[in-house]
Amino acid sequence: MLDPSSSEEEGDEILEVESKEVAAPKTTGGARLSPGRAADGGAGLQPRGRGTGGGRPSSPSPSVGSDKEKEDLEKMQREEEEKKKRLQLYVFVMRCIAYPFNAKQPTDMARRQQKISKQHLQTVKERFQQFLNGETQIVADEAFINAVQSYYEVFLRSDRVSRMVQSGGCSASDSREVFKKHIEKRVRSLPEIDGLSKETVLSSWIAKFDTIYRGEEDPRKHQQRMTASAASELILSKDQLYEMFQQILGIKKFEHQLLYNACQLDNPDEQAAQIRRELDGRLQMADQITRQLGGRFPRFSSREMEAMFIEELRSSVNLLMANLESMPVSKGGEFKLQKLKRGHNTSIMDMGQEDENTLSKSDVVLSFTLEVVIMEVHGLKSLAPNRIVYCTMEVEGGHKLQTDQAEASKPTWGTQGDFTTTQPLPAVKVKLFTESTGVLALEDKELGRVVLHPLPTAPSTSELHKMTVSKGCPDSDLKIKLAIRMDKPQNMKHSRYLWAIGKNVWKRWKKRFFVLVQVSQYTFAMCSYREKKAEPVELLQLDGYTVDYTDPQPGLDGGRTFFNAVKEGDTVIFASDDEQDRILWVQAMYRATGQSHKPVPPTQVQKLNSRGGTAPQLDAPISQFYADRAQKHGMDEFISANPCNFDHASLFELVQRLTLDHRLNDSYSCLGWFSPGQVFVLDEYCARYGVRGCHRHLCYLSDLLVRAENGAMIDPTLLHYSFAFCASHVHGNRPDGIGTVTVEEKERFEEIKERLRVLLENQITHFRYCFPFGRPEGALKATLSLLERVLMKDIITPVPQEEVKAVIRKCLEQAALVNYQRLSEYAKLEDNKMDVENVGRLVTPAKKLEDTIRLAELVIEVLQQNEEHHAEGKEAFAWWSDLMVEHAETFLCLYSADMDAALEVQPPDSWDSFPLFQLLNDFLRIDYNLCNGKFHKHLQDLYAPLVVRYVDLMESSIAQSIHRGFERESWEPVKSITSTLPIVNLQMPKVPNLTVPSVNLPQMPSFSPPNWMTANNDSNNGSGTSEDLFWKLDALQTFIKDLHWPEEEFGKHLETRLKLMSSDMIESCVKRTRVAFEVKLQKSSRATDFRVPQSICTMFNVMVDAKVQSAKLCAMDLGQERQYHSQIDNLIEETVKEMITLLVAKFVVILESVLAKLSRYDEGTLFSSFLSFTVKAASKYVDVPKPGMDVADGYVTFVRHSQDMLRDKVNEEVYVERLFDQWYTSTMNLLGTWLTDRMDLQLHVYQLKILIRVVKKKYRDFRLQGVLDSTLNSKMYETVRNRLTLEEATASVREGGMQGISMRDSDEEDNGN
């Protein structure tokens, strides 16, 4: 910004403008008219007509052309009037900035954040997209990436955020706070990690967010920019304020410079004088209103307020006068003015205090600071070069100072002496000394002296002064070079020599030294002084005097230019020696008297009359030069305009509206709050020009409402402040007492109150869009509080809570409709983007259901955001949460209509809608307020028959699958499905349908093993039918459990029914397996070639799986006996026992077949005798193989194979051990019985060999299989062993040996093992 004072650049610019203005009349139409031309034109503009331009009119019709010219002329006039109005307003604003005495720039206002623009938002989106695409160097884990992805989709891409940016209410702080709130829940849900706290993770994520948000910008530059902007947001200099209001009011730079210089804004005295004149004018206006008996009174709400209005005017002016009194003479000075009341306005002030206000000579106190700098002495020739010289300096009546010593050959010092004196005309003595060389000399020798009488207005340049030489000094031409600067005190406004004569003072026409002294802001005195005197000789208190230029007075010799000070009964005539001094004196006294008449120098009057002079007077002061130049450019009417003649209410309304526009368009997210500098200027304007506080806030509210209605984001707290002020004023409950209320204020307040109510209700109705994501922070709470205040009939009586509640309830009901409509539109728009190919086709039931599920996800997201971001309303009203629950139910009720319509068109017995129930129910059941609410119950009523139907059909399907499966069962083992299911919530499987010709069932779902199960068919587990059954039952129960049916009684019913179904199905499976087991054994071989098939083991495993699954599928947690589980367990145990018995019986039958073969060798039979004779005869000639060993080996092989098969394939050790125990015991009992039946017979040697081999191998094999010794060494085994041992001994004696086969060998082998 250029310096407001004059400069070469300014001069060049002004000259350029002047040249343009001179050339303006040459243009056709006169579009460019200067303010000066408008001022010369009198009441309005007088542009030249287009017909004089010499160019042909562009319009073909003269009438049309004249109409267009008329419109253009009117437009130009309007623009010119607006320009003049803004220039005049800028003059008032400039004076407020130049000399504020009522307001200060506030330092306690909340700091506003930088707003996000559309371009910045787009840039931020691109930066986050680059991060998600992996195009940045930021290292992040999956959890953070997911959080950023969610933030990007939910917040940055939201149309509500775009609206907030468009409204100017979105700042970088808002986006950061939303992200912080967004990740807090995510971080809290993460598992604990040793050595890493959740706070550390949060801080790290926020730092990464800042890095992404900032992009490639240098953080140091960003911080510097933020610091500078924050400083400018807090406090502004005068130059910055000037520049700001130039932009606000559209004032050009050269116009500002003209006005600044002409108004003398850099002169505090002129500004203080201007204020005094304004206050006097306002007091006179109040007096005129009083005398006119209501002629100019505003319309008040009651007649009694007219007298109160006058008192308000007077008290406001007195307050301003007191504020002005408290101001120092000049900014930054230490001098404080005396508190003297002004009493010249007899119509207002108390005349009884006139004597108290009279000044005495002792009241006028001046304090001067003198700086004396002694440079050098010339003409010192008589002294020897090495003689020491020095100087002393003193102000008469004060202390004496001495310079340093110097040699006579070089008498230079440069020493400064500082003095303080109260004498306007002090005498400064400077003496030159040399040191005395005499032994008896007591004092140094004085060489010369000089006495000076400095003036406060004299220049401080160094000059040579001739010294008075002392006696005995041969140097007659001594000169001393020194400089004296006498600082003017702040309360001395002007001083010079004048000629003066008066009636009561200065009765002789004589030249005296005068000083204009400011005793207080309202008290000035013209004082005459003599040399070396601190008190004035005479003084004239200027209260009530009027100063003006006058012609030379005849008979008064002395002085060239005259002026006078006139008061009723007194006239004082002054004369100066030059014109410039006279102008300066008149200007200074004009400021001091506070008169309304502004003196005009005779030279300027002559120039105005002639209208031809352009050159400024050479003897005029620079201020007069600036005034002339401003007058030339048409600015004089704005400068000299009397502020009391303007409607400041309308002017302030204009400047406040323009300031608000400027504020809302700057780079801060202000939400309607002015900056501290703007508040300061507006406060000062209101106080200085008497703008009523209620009018100010009503205008502010009106402007804010216009912006809010047009989509700008306005802080409701700001609206609350202004509304509360206006309400307290209108209802007569102001903190400072009852004030006057005009009819206009009351009517406008009621209008604004209604507009504000409509706006607030609309904002609550659109709370998701007016306060997206809970931003600005606390805005919803403030809006609710303000609505309660607006609904109050007056300022005292509180509005009933039920009435407030009813209004907000109605708004939230509308909000539900608005939110659902916009959500539906968004879902349709999103669906159209995804399904571009299906545009124009009929919507299938499946597509409609898919859209309904997507809409349900959006509905849940909206309700969750409402709870997360808009719960702050409960801080304003405790019942806000209840209303939000009603709002949610209304919102869900609207959704239920679309949901019901989508479900109605679904085909019968279709189960694709269950995910919709799970989605909604999982959200509703964990919400304390919505659980079992109206919509939740409707959802249950809608799906309860569907669940029952589904369970019925599944029961029939599973029963059919058991029937068909066991009919076609191959009993090949498969790997268990239920034992390897992943730990997830099973969704209802979508599998092929089951069709049985004999059963006519509708379309129904059935379960089948998943694809990954077929690769495990080589495992040793249950059959395909059983595993399929168990998987179906488990999946069905898991699915029903995952429904989390909210109604407890129906949920228990479903659980009980499924447990009973599982028990019945497992029972059927067990029984069918038992029957198949028996049939399988009956069809198998009875000889030793029998091998235990895989299917037998599979059937055992079916029993094992059935027992395991029954514990999970049939157990009821009812606090009672687990009856279903107990029943099925008993059935399984009994069935297993029967199966073991059947299998052991099969093994016994095989052993019986072996023993039947041995029975042919019984003693006394024909076959035995023949076989013995044949063997003996043949053995004499050839080596006959041992008969019967193949039978023994075959049986042993059968036993071992069966043992290995059962041990490897059956999964339950208990069942295998029980089977081996019974097998061993039964077969050993059979052998014992067979031997007992032959107790009287001697065993054939071949029978003995086979039995020894069988018993010996059986004992050893079953021992290896883990059969207990107590079972192995049973009594029957001992009986068999003893019999075989005895028979072996007998056979050895009779036959001569057993060919290496004996029970003893068996014992040895056993011991060896």
Side-chain angles (χ1 to χ4, degrees), residues 783-927:
T783 300
L784 295 172
S785 301
L786 177 56
L787 178 62
E788 181 184 27
R789 185 69 174 266
V790 171
L791 292 176
M792 293 172 65
K793 299 297 185 291
D794 54 53
I795 201 68
I796 301 175
T797 308
V799 63
Q801 288 295 299
E802 288 302 320
E803 182 178 341
V804 181
K805 194 172 182 180
V807 172
I808 297 179
R809 178 183 284 114
K810 184 178 179 181
C811 293
L812 292 180
E813 288 174 358
Q814 288 294 113
L817 181 60
V818 170
N819 292 345
Y820 188 71
Q821 287 176 344
R822 295 197 179 184
L823 192 69
S824 301
E825 293 171 0
Y826 171 76
K828 290 178 182 177
L829 182 64
E830 190 180 55
D831 183 61
N832 292 337
K833 290 180 180 179
M834 296 175 63
D835 293 342
V836 179
E837 300 177 357
N838 297 329
V839 175
R841 299 183 184 179
L842 294 176
V843 180
T844 62
K847 182 66 173 68
K848 198 164 187 178
L849 179 62
E850 181 184 347
D851 294 342
T852 306
I853 293 176
R854 172 58 183 153
L855 187 57
E857 294 174 349
L858 296 175
V859 166
I860 292 172
E861 182 179 344
V862 167
L863 294 177
Q864 288 174 337
Q865 289 180 358
N866 290 349
E867 178 64 26
E868 181 179 359
H869 300 298
H870 304 292
E872 65 184 59
K874 62 186 177 183
E875 299 177 16
F877 300 114
W879 36 260
W880 169 260
S881 300
D882 299 334
L883 293 187
M884 285 300 290
V885 173
E886 296 178 13
H887 164 76
E889 287 289 357
T890 307
F891 186 66
L892 290 170
C893 182
L894 295 171
Y895 169 73
S896 67
D898 289 341
M899 179 184 70
D900 295 347
L903 293 179
E904 285 177 1
V905 300
Q906 299 301 311
D909 297 332
S910 173
W911 323 113
D912 295 336
S913 64
F914 273 115
L916 176 61
F917 174 83
Q918 286 180 300
L919 178 66
L920 292 169
N921 183 60
D922 286 345
F923 166 70
L924 295 170
R925 67 185 178 85
I926 61 176
D927 191 306

Side-chain angles (χ1 to χ4, degrees), residues 767-782:
F767 67 91
R768 271 181 53 81
Y769 304 93
C770 293
F771 316 111
F773 301 94
R775 314 307 298 180
E777 187 176 1
L780 177 58
K781 172 189 171 184

Side-chain angles (χ1 to χ4, degrees), residues 368-532:
F368 300 89
T369 300
L370 284 86
E371 297 177 359
V372 181
V373 182
I374 299 177
M375 311 297 291
E376 58 185 343
V377 173
H378 294 178
L380 190 60
K381 302 176 180 178
S382 60
L383 294 180
N386 59 350
R387 289 286 297 273
I388 299 299
V389 294
Y390 63 90
C391 293
T392 62
M393 49 187 136
E394 63 177 317
V395 175
E396 281 197 17
H399 57 282
K400 183 184 296 185
L401 299 178
Q402 176 182 323
T403 66
D404 295 333
Q405 295 179 346
E407 294 181 350
S409 60
K410 193 178 181 182
T412 58
W413 293 275
T415 302
Q416 175 177 318
D418 296 330
F419 301 91
T420 302
T421 182
T422 58
Q423 304 169 10
L425 293 174
V428 179
K429 294 182 180 180
V430 180
K431 299 178 181 179
L432 177 63
F433 289 90
T434 181
E435 288 186 349
S436 298
T437 56
V439 178
L440 300 177
L442 299 177
E443 294 181 354
D444 292 333
K445 182 180 179 181
E446 179 181 341
L447 298 177
R449 67 173 61 185
V450 63
V451 179
L452 302 176
H453 299 278
L455 295 177
T457 56
S460 59
T461 57
S462 59
E463 296 179 358
L464 282 173
H465 299 273
K466 185 173 179 59
M467 302 186 73
T468 303
V469 180
S470 302
K471 294 180 180 180
C473 180
D475 298 321
S476 60
D477 193 20
L478 279 180
K479 294 182 180 180
I480 185 169
K481 188 176 183 180
L482 52 84
I484 300 180
R485 186 167 72 91
M486 188 174 180
D487 287 342
K488 184 178 72 170
Q490 296 171 355
N491 57 336
M492 188 178 90
K493 300 307 174 184
H494 197 54
S495 65
R496 282 292 173 88
Y497 282 94
L498 290 175
W499 298 78
I501 187 172
K503 180 178 179 181
N504 298 320
V505 292
W506 308 305
K507 297 179 181 180
R508 290 175 50 205
W509 180 252
K510 181 181 176 182
K511 191 172 185 181
R512 302 173 179 90
F513 184 78
F514 282 90
V515 177
L516 178 59
V517 182
Q518 182 177 8
V519 182
S520 73
Q521 282 286 4
Y522 275 95
T523 305
F524 292 80
M526 280 288 284
C527 306
S528 61
Y529 287 88
R530 291 177 181 169
E531 291 184 0
K532 299 184 286 186

Side-chain angles (χ1 to χ4, degrees), residues 47 310 383 415 473 503 544 556 562 641 758 846 888 1142 1218 1224 1239 1285:
I310 298 299
L383 294 180
T415 302
C473 180
K503 180 178 179 181
L556 297 179
F562 288 75
V758 173
L1142 290 173
R1218 190 188 305 172
Y1224 178 81
M1239 185 66 69
T1285 303

